[in-house]
Amino acid sequence: MGMSLLWLRVAVVLYGASALVAGWTTLRQGTRVRSFLQPLLIGGLLFHFVSLVEVLNNNHHWMPMAVHELESLLGLLLAGLFCWSFYRYGTVSLGMFVLPLVFLLTLAPAIGPDFDTFFSPRLRNGWVLVHVALVLAGYSALILSFLSSLLYLLQEQRLKSKHAGGSYRWLPPLDTADQISYRMLLIGFPCMTLGLLTGSLLAEASTGPSYFGDPKVILSFAMWLLYVFLLWTRRSAGVRGRRAVYLSCFVFLVALSVWAANSLSTVHRFSLP
Amino acid sequence: MSLRLLGVNHKSAPVELREKLAIPERNLAEATRQLAHHPGVREGMILSTCNRVELVTAHDNAAPDLNLFLEQYFSLEPASLRPHLYEYSEQDAMRHLFRVASSLDSMVVGEPQILGQVKQSYSVARQVGAMNGELDQVLRRALTVAKRVRRETRIGNTSVSIASVAVELAREIFGSLAGKTVCLVGTGKMGQLAARHLMAQGASHLLLSNRTTAGAELLAAELGAEVLPFEQIYDRLDAADIVITTTGSSEPIFRREHGQQLLQRRRNRPVFFIDIAVPRDVDPAMAKLEGIFVYDIDDLQNVASQNQIGRNEEASHAERIIEREVERYKESRLSLDPVPSILAVQRSLELVRQLEFARNAARLAGMNAEQRKAVDDLTRGLLNKVLHGPMVALKAAARDGDEEAMRAIRLALAGDSGDGASEDDSAKGGAD
């Protein structure tokens, strides 16, 4: 077992413990256990980062060329963004959903061999890493924004129903959920924009202008335009609350369909000859 | 050593009597000192809050007359006091103390202030030297138990008063109240209380609006608020994140169209209306607008009642914790009972003495009965003299809860540490 795998397994254990602490703190409102969350999470992030750097450096000259490596990178970005939101807003309840996801995303690379590897020599380009990392950061921000939006809807419904003493006491404050959702969109936007830009330039350089006729590429740009519209409505038109949350969820679902289209489509797949 | 607790609380005595018995903070040290010097009292502590006055004491032999202390200290007639007193001893006193510190005996179950008040009384008693032995341990245990109850139950996690429910709801909408503006419309008492609570919890600015400006200015000066003329209320209400209304108006003063204007001006930032007025000041239709949250007095009361039910459920969990802690303490006290160790040491050394007699039987054979008795008395007396010091140390260690010292003395003199002490030892000790 290489050292990178050992570091990754340590990170998985720390993420698992963080997920348990987040769940316990949220549901039992245990303030004592809460203090363990930050050190566990930071520990997990450090070990995870070291492991990923070692893997990318040793195996593929900085290219995430395997599905497990992409999962691991997505997990790292999600954990990092959650860590930031926890530090900024002090809300643990989001972690109850994000951290188990991070745990699962890192568990697969930590225990099983990778069956799906991209061998295309065209991937041997430093800009591909930039493209992949930026797009994944954009997706991570969208995932957190989506989860936070769902919590917003639950909290709003709870407060409107006037049964505030019920069992959903663990939900984050309405304004905090709204702010996290918005901040994540703001963080995700430049990442997604630059990710699409680098990806487009790389694709154009390798396959020519025909690339832009691909339906999945068109869908990607449609998603980006929707993203711009969402940010504009929030910033300029003052759309907040439920309508903003619905829009945010819609952008996430479109982004998810773009991801699915990219995974399922056989057009411009680098893994194919 | 025995424990005794005597007192009155909100359940046993009317407020008129509790007022007479309340000891101001500045007099607590002197009162505690006097209690510690009361005949028969070895250690003592006084807990005096607005809802209770309790004397907790530890004594060696006969129980001290604590009724007499109360009657003398407060110059009260026994007939006016005694029917309202409750009294506990030993395990019951300990249980009561644990319940009080854990806020299970409070008027509002789960309120957090009582723990601070118990700590304060404990600290005063230690400062004046009224607590240094077993009572000290009982109090320390009571504080630990109270913290455990807070930690392991959710007894104090919810609000049960209208004002604190309003604060809790505001937090659930806005998160932190820092930087938030509160607008109090009307000068009703409950509204004032809610506004004070919100300001105390971090809200930064208070606006006050009333139909009569004179009343508003007076109250605004007291609350540190800015007066918002009533005729400007619809134009300037957008500055407020939380609106508390408590006017005597017979018609709603905030209607749906006002809510729509408000949201437009606030660029859809949420507003929380706390409508404490009866009849209501906020049209219920306004609650249907997205971004506006309206809670009237019944809604607040419902939340408080739900929270109270939750607290009561947690209280039964807390009672179980306390019962276990009382049992644990009782067991630890039994293990610190010096009698089994004293008996073990005496028996062991008596056995040594008897064996020495048997070993020297041939040399003592020439002695007559009187001489044999003299030798017997001499060795027994010698043994008792030698054992006197260790026996005193053993009792002191038991009183101070120093289990290690007790074990060491017993090991040195009886050859066993008492960890595997036979059950008849304990039984004999208990019977004694």
Side-chain angles (χ1 to χ4, degrees):
Chain A
M1 182 173 66
M3 287 306 277
S4 61
L5 194 58
L6 177 69
W7 301 141
L8 188 62
R9 286 178 179 174
V10 173
V12 169
V13 171
L14 292 171
Y15 285 147
S18 311
L20 289 174
V21 167
W24 178 266
T25 307
T26 306
L27 297 176
R28 292 288 309 169
Q29 296 176 355
T31 47
R32 221 177 172 204
V33 187
R34 184 192 162 99
S35 54
F36 294 109
L37 183 59
Q38 203 156 6
L40 283 171
L41 197 53
I42 289 172
L45 276 167
L46 282 174
F47 279 107
H48 194 170
F49 180 73
V50 169
S51 158
L52 198 64
V53 166
E54 214 169 299
V55 165
L56 295 180
N57 186 36
N58 295 345
N59 300 354
H60 310 302
H61 308 284
W62 295 98
M63 288 302 105
M65 288 174 66
V67 170
H68 278 351
E69 287 164 18
L70 289 177
E71 286 168 352
S72 181
L73 181 57
L74 183 62
L76 182 75
L77 290 165
L78 272 173
L81 280 175
F82 170 71
C83 195
W84 175 81
S85 86
F86 177 58
Y87 172 75
R88 175 80 176 75
Y89 299 101
T91 299
V92 187
S93 44
L94 193 61
M96 196 168 70
F97 303 96
V98 177
L99 292 175
L101 185 63
V102 171
F103 174 72
L104 291 175
L105 281 168
T106 42
L107 184 66
I111 57 171
D114 206 342
F115 299 108
D116 201 357
T117 307
F118 313 118
F119 293 111
S120 171
R122 277 179 285 174
L123 277 175
R124 306 254 173 216
N125 181 335
W127 285 101
V128 173
L129 175 71
V130 175
H131 164 65
V132 169
L134 286 169
V135 169
L136 284 181
Y139 275 115
S140 304
L142 274 179
I143 290 170
L144 278 165
S145 175
F146 172 70
L147 287 172
S148 191
S149 298
L150 291 182
L151 296 183
Y152 178 96
L153 285 178
L154 283 172
Q155 180 67 291
E156 197 218 17
Q157 197 181 358
R158 173 175 170 260
L159 288 166
K160 284 277 185 191
S161 72
K162 301 184 180 179
H163 289 101
S167 52
Y168 287 95
R169 198 179 288 282
W170 54 268
L171 286 165
L174 203 66
D175 208 37
T176 307
D178 188 52
Q179 280 184 45
I180 294 176
S181 177
Y182 182 50
R183 288 274 162 209
M184 287 300 157
L185 288 177
L186 286 180
I187 292 171
F189 182 69
C191 298
M192 197 61 97
T193 307
L194 291 172
L196 281 176
L197 198 67
T198 47
S200 301
L201 291 172
L202 286 168
E204 199 194 8
S206 61
T207 58
S210 65
Y211 170 80
F212 294 100
D214 183 349
K216 72 177 195 243
V217 176
I218 293 169
L219 193 60
S220 298
F221 282 102
M223 183 267 289
W224 183 81
L225 285 173
L226 199 63
Y227 208 147
V228 174
F229 174 70
L230 171 66
L231 285 177
W232 175 79
T233 53
R234 286 208 61 144
R235 198 170 257 266
S236 307
V239 170
R240 295 172 69 97
R242 212 181 307 154
R243 273 171 292 173
V245 162
Y246 287 149
L247 261 173
S248 184
C249 292
F250 185 59
V251 171
F252 174 72
L253 291 175
V254 174
L256 209 61
S257 61
V258 172
W259 174 287
N262 272 308
S263 305
L264 301 174
S265 165
T266 53
V267 187
H268 301 123
R269 269 185 78 84
F270 287 124
S271 55
L272 291 174
Chain B
M1 184 176 291
S2 304
L3 287 179
R4 189 150 181 256
L5 186 147
L6 182 85
V8 294
N9 67 10
H10 57 282
K11 289 181 249 178
S12 73
V15 68
E16 293 78 18
L17 179 63
R18 297 204 311 271
E19 275 169 359
K20 286 181 194 162
L21 294 177
I23 300 171
E25 204 180 315
R26 62 181 182 281
N27 297 342
L28 188 62
E30 181 50 35
T32 307
R33 200 176 285 119
Q34 285 187 31
L35 175 66
H37 288 109
H38 190 71
V41 173
R42 185 185 166 90
E43 297 173 77
M45 185 192 89
I46 300 175
L47 177 64
S48 176
T49 72
C50 53
N51 280 329
R52 71 183 64 245
V53 176
E54 289 180 348
L55 311 177
V56 196
T57 61
H59 59 273
D60 278 328
N61 302 312
D65 189 350
L66 297 178
N67 292 296
L68 184 68
F69 174 82
L70 278 180
E71 286 154 18
Q72 285 176 347
Y73 187 84
F74 294 103
S75 309
L76 288 171
E77 285 299 313
S80 65
L81 187 60
R82 294 202 178 190
H84 302 287
L85 289 170
Y86 50 80
E87 191 173 352
Y88 298 107
S89 55
E90 304 305 335
Q91 206 172 314
D92 293 332
M94 196 190 307
R95 184 181 294 106
H96 179 78
L97 204 52
F98 287 5
R99 291 187 78 250
V100 169
S102 307
S103 189
L104 292 180
D105 198 52
S106 297
M107 186 182 269
V108 178
V109 171
E111 55 89 7
Q113 286 84 7
I114 186 67
L115 183 57
Q117 289 161 334
V118 173
K119 276 183 189 166
Q120 164 83 4
S121 296
Y122 170 62
S123 161
V124 168
R126 280 179 65 91
Q127 275 167 20
V128 301
M131 199 180 281
N132 47 28
E134 188 171 344
L135 188 58
D136 186 272
Q137 283 175 49
V138 172
L139 255 297
R140 269 190 278 159
R141 184 64 72 98
L143 297 175
T144 309
V145 170
K147 282 178 196 158
R148 191 182 155 197
V149 165
R150 290 257 149 207
R151 198 173 58 239
E152 293 182 18
T153 71
R154 280 177 282 185
I155 198 160
N157 285 12
T158 55
S159 309
V160 290
S161 72
I162 298 292
S164 52
V165 164
V167 171
E168 194 181 296
L169 286 167
R171 281 190 193 285
E172 286 180 5
I173 294 170
F174 301 107
S176 164
L177 296 183
K180 296 289 175 276
T181 298
V182 179
C183 181
L184 175 61
V185 186
T187 55
K189 287 275 179 230
M190 208 184 278
Q192 285 181 40
L193 187 66
R196 279 180 211 270
H197 245 71
L198 286 162
M199 295 306 288
Q201 295 300 314
S204 11
H205 194 202
L206 180 61
L207 298 170
L208 178 62
S209 188
N210 196 39
R211 282 185 201 276
T212 56
T213 318
E217 277 170 355
L218 212 64
L219 184 62
E222 190 191 324
L223 295 175
E226 178 193 340
V227 176
L228 173 64
F230 197 78
E231 55 277 12
Q232 292 178 19
I233 197 157
Y234 298 119
D235 300 325
R236 289 183 54 195
L237 196 65
D238 57 298
D241 302 286
I242 301 161
V243 182
I244 307 165
T245 67
T246 173
T247 73
S249 169
S250 55
E251 292 291 320
I253 55 173
F254 297 109
R255 291 186 300 277
R256 191 184 166 90
E257 58 269 28
H258 298 130
Q260 283 166 333
Q261 280 171 17
L262 192 60
L263 284 172
Q264 204 175 0
R265 287 211 186 107
R266 287 176 59 80
R267 292 174 60 80
N268 296 311
R269 276 181 295 131
V271 193
F272 178 30
F273 277 88
I274 303 165
D275 185 1
I276 305 178
V278 179
R280 287 177 291 180
D281 283 340
V282 183
D283 181 1
M286 201 150 97
K288 292 193 174 71
L289 293 172
E290 192 194 327
I292 291 192
F293 300 88
V294 183
Y295 276 70
D296 62 34
I297 186 78
D298 280 1
D299 299 328
L300 295 170
Q301 191 59 58
N302 281 343
V303 175
S305 306
Q306 285 173 39
N307 289 349
Q308 186 61 61
I309 292 167
R311 275 197 183 194
N312 292 343
E313 283 166 8
E314 292 298 314
S316 56
H317 179 197
E319 294 282 7
R320 287 196 293 277
I321 291 175
I322 284 177
E323 212 45 55
R324 279 199 298 272
E325 288 288 342
V326 168
E327 281 304 312
R328 271 182 61 187
Y329 193 77
K330 198 176 84 179
E331 280 165 20
S332 72
R333 276 190 76 191
L334 273 181
S335 76
L336 289 180
D337 186 350
V339 176
S341 295
I342 289 171
L343 288 175
V345 169
Q346 283 175 341
R347 266 204 303 272
S348 168
L349 293 185
E350 177 61 20
L351 187 66
V352 171
R353 197 178 71 89
Q354 295 292 347
L355 284 172
E356 285 302 305
F357 257 104
R359 204 162 59 85
N360 293 294
R363 289 165 68 190
L364 298 172
M367 289 183 176
N368 59 29
E370 197 179 330
Q371 286 170 327
R372 284 175 71 92
K373 187 175 179 305
V375 173
D376 188 55
D377 288 346
L378 178 78
T379 51
R380 199 187 298 274
L382 194 64
L383 202 62
N384 286 342
K385 284 262 191 267
V386 169
L387 277 179
H388 178 72
M391 292 299 108
V392 169
L394 203 54
K395 283 178 189 169
R399 195 176 56 236
D400 297 341
D402 192 345
E403 212 170 336
E404 281 302 309
M406 285 178 72
R407 199 174 288 140
I409 294 168
R410 183 165 169 165
L411 187 65
L413 296 172
D416 75 279
S417 62
D419 289 339
S422 64
E423 282 185 7
D424 32 311
D425 274 1
S426 303
K428 278 174 191 167
D432 285 339

